[in-house]
Amino acid sequence: MDRIRVRGGRPLRGRIPIGGAKNAALPLMAAALLTPEELVLTNAPALEDVRTMGKLLAQHGLAVEHDTGSRRISMSGQATNLEAPYDLVRKMRASVLVLGPLLARYGRAKVSLPGGCAIGTRPVDIHLSALEALGARIDLTGGYIDAQVEGRLKGARVVFPKVSVGATENLLMAAALAEGTTELVNAAREPEIGDLAQCLIAMGARIEGVGTDRLTVEGVDSLHAATHPIIPDRIEAGTYACAAAITGGEVLLEGASVLQLGACARVLQEAGVVLEDQPGGLHVRRLNGLHGVDVMTEPFPGFATDMQAQTMALMCVADGASMLTETIFENRFMHVPELTRMGARINVHGSSAIVRGVPKLSGAPVMATDLRASVSLILAGLAAEGETVVNRVYHLDRGYESVEAKLAAVGAEIERLRD
C-alpha cells in the first residue's frame, strides 16, 4: 500500500496548476445517461473517483473514453444494463447519482445502497422521497434501491427537508426529462450544481434559478449532444493555498481566483494570508505570522466542510486559539488524533475542536482516514520538523491528482513510497 513521505521546513515557491473539480465532474458524467448522443467534458481531472464513475457508466453500456493528456472525457450510447452493482458503488458514494438519470430516461434503475462512510452516515433518503414525489415507486430490497416509474416522471414541487448536494443533483437530472414543471425548494447552491445546470442547459434542458436555492425545471422530451468545460476545483485551490501559507511560501494557483474560494478566502485572509487575483491565477502568500480564526462549516455559500481538515492543519501552527465547528458530517474530526501525534494541541468537544497553535510540529508516522484528512496530514508534514510518513494514501488519490508531483515542483521535499 502506497505511503507519502514528507520532510518539512521548505517554503513553497512557484506555480501550481488547479485541475477540474472532482465534485463537478462526477454528476456531469452521470448526466451522460440522459442522452444517447455524445457528451464531452473538458478540463477533466485524472482521479480515482473519475475512473470509478467511468467504469460504472461503461458497465451500464455507455462508450466512455477518458484522454488524460487532453483532459477530455467522451461518453455516448444507450444503457443496456440498468443496475449499478455494489462492487462499484461501495467505492464511491457519488455512484448513487446514476439513479435519477436512469429512472428519468429508462423508467427503471436498480442501484446498490452506498453503505457506510468514514465521515458520516450520509443517508440517501432525501433522494428517494424526492423521486417518489415525481412519481417513482421505490423498494429497498437486498441492499439495493429498486426504482420504477410507469411512463415518465411527473413534475412536482419538491421541498428538501435539509440542504443536500447529492439529492439536488439527482433531482435536477431527473427533472430535466420529467413531464411538466418541477420546482426544487431549499436546493443546494454549490458552484458544482451550477456547473451541472449549465451543462444540462447546453444539452437542451430548461432550468431557471441557477445559483439560487429555488430551481425551476421545465421537462423536455429529450436531450442532445454537448461539450462542456468542468469548472476549476475550489477545494484543490484552497488546499494549495493552505500549503503556501503553512510553509510561509508564495505560489500562483493557476486557474484559481479569490471569488472561486468564497468563504475559504475570507477565513484565510482573516488568518493573515494574502490572496491576490493576477493574470493566470491566484497569488497566495503569508503576510507575517498566522493568526487563529474561528470557523464553522455550512452549506454553500458558507465555509465548505471539505476545507475543514486543511484549515485545522493550518491553525495548528497559528498564533493563539481557534475553534472549528463541524455542522455537516458527524465523524469529520478523525484527523485530530493523527495531528496530535505530530505535536498539535487540539481538544474536541462534541462538534467543535479547540486548536491552540504551537511554534512547531514534529514529523511522525500517521494514518489517513479519509480524503481531506489525508491532505491535511501532508500539509502538517510540510510545516513539521523532521520526517512525516502518511499511510493509506489511497484516499488521497480519489480527489487530488499528482499531489506529490505538484508539491515537489514548488520546492517540497515529498515522495511516494510504493511497497
Side-chain angles (χ1 to χ4, degrees), residues 126 158-169 171-172 183-190 193 208-217 299-301:
I126 298 176
V158 175
V159 181
F160 294 112
K162 61 182 288 188
V163 175
S164 168
V165 172
T168 301
E169 292 166 339
L171 268 292
L172 190 60
E183 186 181 16
L184 304 179
V185 182
N186 198 29
R189 293 182 283 166
E190 272 70 6
I193 290 173
E208 295 181 354
V210 178
T212 75
D213 64 355
R214 191 179 294 262
L215 297 168
T216 303
V217 185
F300 189 87

Side-chain angles (χ1 to χ4, degrees), residues 135-177:
R137 297 193 315 275
I138 295 176
D139 293 315
L140 300 180
T141 178
Y144 277 78
I145 303 163
D146 193 343
Q148 300 181 56
V149 64
E150 290 186 13
R152 293 172 63 184
L153 293 170
K154 302 293 191 298
R157 187 173 188 265
V158 175
V159 181
F160 294 112
K162 61 182 288 188
V163 175
S164 168
V165 172
T168 301
E169 292 166 339
N170 238 332
L171 268 292
L172 190 60
M173 289 186 281
L177 291 182

